[in-house]
């Protein structure tokens, strides 16, 4: 919603990961024969050479160029209508997302020969699991670079001269992020008050991080679970119903917000 309207680093990440997702989905659909307009990469034919020697292109190489071309036309269409800072920012981050998928293409090979020896190899290019692209873009989100429009309005420069100029792989943003700890309807932030947190985690879902230092409430609840499950020949699994008590941790509301709501 409103968070995407702001030119924040979160908006930059959403545009990049969405663009990457389109590339991945279309490319995968091409390889699986689900689209009439494309198939495997038509360029990967004949023989080639790598560090291990010669090989033949075979199998089905992912047609990443088609996926990138489709994503550029489909995802960028809305941004190309505008010439403002947000449009430039979105186009940059969309491209960074497309490039991220292409970054993790890997060559896979199958050996042919006596006793599996690699006297002959057949190879193809395949996309890595999308998780790799997501992890890479998450790092780029954490290292996103704040920029300002240049005077002629054709591009941008770094807001802080101490930081390096962004490359085509970097995510860029214009505006500082709002305080996501506090509820703010104007920017679409629900805040973290009442959110369930993980007391044992040390990550983003931990009570320490999610509750923004405000502390948390603990409520002991009873719930029914399946237990003492046994396999019976053949072929059923029978379980008992067990009542267990668990602690649910939820983030406290900011003191100022609680006071304001009473006045």
């Amino acid at each position: 919603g409103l968070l995407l309207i702001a030119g924040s680093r979160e908006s930059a990440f959403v545009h990049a990961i969405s663009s990457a997702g389109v590339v991945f989905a279309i490319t995968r659909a091409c390889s699986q024969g689900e689209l009439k307009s494309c198939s495997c990469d038509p360029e990967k034919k004949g023989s080639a050479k790598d560090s291990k020697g010669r090989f033949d292109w075979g199998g089905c190489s992912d047609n990443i160029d088609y996926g990138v071309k489709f994503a550029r036309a489909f995802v960028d269409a809305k941004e190309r209508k505008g010439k403002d800072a947000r449009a430039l920012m979105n186009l940059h981050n969309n491209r960074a997302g497309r490039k991220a998928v292409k970054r993790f293409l890997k060559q896979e090979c199958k050996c042919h020969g006596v006793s599996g020896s690699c006297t002959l190899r057949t190879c193809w290019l395949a996309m890595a699991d999308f998780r790799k692209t997501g992890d890479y873009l998450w790092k780029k989100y954490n290292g996103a670079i704040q920029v300002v429009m240049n005077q002629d309005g054709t591009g941008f420069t770094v807001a802080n001269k101490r930081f390096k100029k962004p490359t085509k792989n970097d995510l860029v943003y214009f505006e500082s992020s709002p305080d996501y700890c506090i509820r703010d309807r104007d920017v679409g932030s629900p805040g973290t008050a009442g959110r369930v947190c993980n007391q044992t985690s040390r990550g983003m879902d931990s009570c320490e991080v999610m509750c923004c230092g405000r502390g948390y409430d603990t409520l002991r609840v009873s719930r029914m679970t399946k237990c003492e499950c046994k396999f019976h020949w053949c072929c059923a699994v029978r379980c008992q119903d067990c009542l267990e008590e668990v602690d649910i941790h939820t983030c406290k509301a900011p003191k100022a917000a609680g006071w304001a709501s009473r006045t």
Side-chain angles (χ1 to χ4, degrees), residues 166-260:
T167 69
K168 292 178 180 179
N169 298 313
D170 291 316
L171 301 189
V172 299
Y173 67 99
F174 286 106
E175 301 165 13
S176 297
S177 302
D179 186 351
Y180 295 113
C181 292
I182 302 168
R183 185 176 184 181
D184 188 340
R185 286 177 180 170
D186 291 338
V187 297
S189 173
T192 62
R195 287 278 299 272
V196 174
C197 61
N198 187 339
Q199 190 190 35
T200 58
S201 171
R202 300 182 69 181
M204 298 293 285
D205 64 337
S206 70
C207 292
E208 185 179 354
V209 174
M210 187 176 286
C211 301
C212 307
R214 300 189 303 259
Y216 55 91
D217 297 315
T218 301
L219 178 67
R220 179 152 285 196
V221 297
S222 298
R223 65 184 182 189
M224 200 71 75
T225 60
K226 296 294 182 184
C227 64
E228 302 291 332
C229 296
K230 292 181 181 177
F231 177 76
H232 294 268
W233 186 264
C234 178
C235 302
V237 176
R238 296 196 182 100
C239 303
Q240 293 181 19
D241 290 325
C242 288
L243 195 65
E244 67 171 8
E245 291 196 333
V246 293
D247 289 333
I248 304 294
H249 310 290
T250 54
C251 294
K252 288 180 181 290
K255 285 186 173 65
W259 176 81

Side-chain angles (χ1 to χ4, degrees), residues 144-166:
I145 298 167
Q146 189 168 16
V147 293
V148 292
M149 283 283 281
N150 58 23
Q151 288 182 336
D152 59 8
T154 58
F156 31 68
T157 55
V158 287
N160 189 328
K161 303 300 180 192
R162 290 181 298 171
F163 293 105
K164 66 180 177 71
K165 184 181 177 183

Side-chain angles (χ1 to χ4, degrees), residues 83-102:
K83 300 287 183 184
D84 60 350
R86 279 307 310 281
L88 269 180
M89 170 187 158
N90 293 345
L91 286 170
H92 177 100
N93 293 319
N94 287 349
R95 179 176 58 185
R98 295 192 298 267
K99 288 173 71 67
V101 183
K102 204 165 184 177

Side-chain angles (χ1 to χ4, degrees), residues 64-77:
I64 189 97
D65 288 334
Y66 184 90
V68 167
K69 185 179 176 182
F70 181 94
R72 189 188 298 122
F74 180 75
V75 181
D76 286 2

Side-chain angles (χ1 to χ4, degrees), residues 99-106 126-129 132-134 136:
K99 288 173 71 67
V101 183
K102 204 165 184 177
R103 184 185 191 91
F104 295 105
L105 272 178
K106 60 184 188 297
M127 294 184 297
D129 186 82
K132 277 200 167 185
T133 299
Y136 174 79

